[in-house]
Amino acid sequence: MIAHGHRVQPVYIASDLVWQAAELAALRGLLAAMQTAALAPLVVLKLPLEDIYQDHWSLTGAEIPGAESPDEAVYLPGRNALLLIKAALWCHRRGIERVALGVLGTSPFADAKSAFFDHFQAAINLATGARIEFLRPLARATKQDVMRLGRTMPLERTFSCLAPHVGLHCGVCNKCTERRRAFQVAEIPDRTVYQSDPVSAG
Ligand SMILES: [Zn+2]
């Protein structure tokens, strides 16, 4: 977005999920490494979900989807609506009219599709009188495409683990497996420090 001439306000939605501390630390490191006049300081908005998610693995850390689990296993109920509602309202109150979310074209979930964004955008604008536009700059991209797009950035500082251990990527969850594979397929050296390696079949 910065490369396309936008001023960018990063927003993090803090829902106290098990990876939050590691993810937030990684995000702060990534933003520090990317520092430029067009990048505003991070805003953290609270949206605790323990009363809704209760015994969900994203809160308990138990039975985290592993390496062999399908993409569908990592569904978080209402995820994109939850991310967007606070970000959109925060932006609306400050006169920011574009809200970008990095959902991928390969996401299998209904709340990652155009119909959801069109309807949710219309509902928020109807409710508030805002003219918010949801942007999905990665909507046609695969994970590998994103890696290639960001190959000049410090990709090892990005974060995508469901079960981090002392701040490190676990190396064996669904998202770590996807991450490792994307680095391999994109032929980009993976400088991520993983807590452990997957058990080798041979
Ligand atoms: Zn992991």
Side-chain angles (χ1 to χ4, degrees):
M1 298 296 289
I2 291 171
H4 284 85
H6 297 280
R7 186 169 182 276
V8 170
Q9 168 63 68
V11 175
Y12 184 87
I13 306 298
S15 292
D16 300 331
L17 306 184
V18 287
W19 51 81
Q20 179 168 302
E23 185 175 58
L24 249 181
L27 174 58
R28 292 188 195 283
L30 177 68
L31 293 174
M34 294 174 63
Q35 198 172 26
T36 155
L39 184 62
L42 178 67
V43 163
V44 177
L45 303 177
K46 294 175 195 163
L47 187 58
L49 290 175
E50 61 178 342
D51 45 4
I52 305 285
Y53 280 11
Q54 297 184 330
D55 60 354
H56 193 270
W57 52 264
S58 62
L59 268 180
T60 65
E63 298 181 45
I64 294 278
E68 306 299 325
S69 59
D71 283 356
E72 287 76 5
V74 300
Y75 178 65
L76 297 174
R79 176 65 166 170
N80 288 337
L82 291 167
L83 291 176
L84 287 169
I85 186 68
K86 287 205 78 164
L89 292 173
W90 188 91
C91 288
H92 171 51
R93 290 178 57 82
R94 284 156 185 81
I96 299 171
E97 293 189 325
R98 295 194 192 94
V99 178
L101 193 69
V103 292
L104 301 181
T106 49
S107 174
F109 306 121
D111 70 352
K113 310 288 185 200
S114 293
F116 164 74
F117 287 98
D118 292 347
H119 284 92
F120 200 59
Q121 176 181 299
I124 286 179
N125 288 335
L126 182 66
T128 62
R131 284 184 304 194
I132 296 278
E133 182 184 5
F134 294 144
L135 304 180
R136 290 170 293 141
L138 306 177
R140 295 177 187 279
T142 65
K143 187 73 100 181
Q144 293 76 29
D145 294 333
V146 177
M147 294 293 196
R148 292 190 185 103
L149 196 62
R151 65 162 61 239
T152 61
M153 297 179 183
L155 288 175
E156 70 278 8
R157 291 177 180 268
T158 61
F159 184 86
S160 52
C161 175
L162 302 175
H165 184 78
V166 291
L168 300 179
H169 282 77
C170 76
V172 293
C173 74
N174 174 297
K175 303 301 284 186
C176 280
T177 305
E178 180 187 37
R179 177 185 182 91
R180 287 181 192 271
R181 193 179 301 134
F183 272 112
Q184 277 176 7
V185 172
E187 299 182 330
I188 296 172
D190 185 357
R191 298 189 176 87
T192 309
V193 179
Y194 295 99
Q195 196 250 333
S196 60
D197 291 319
V199 178
S200 170

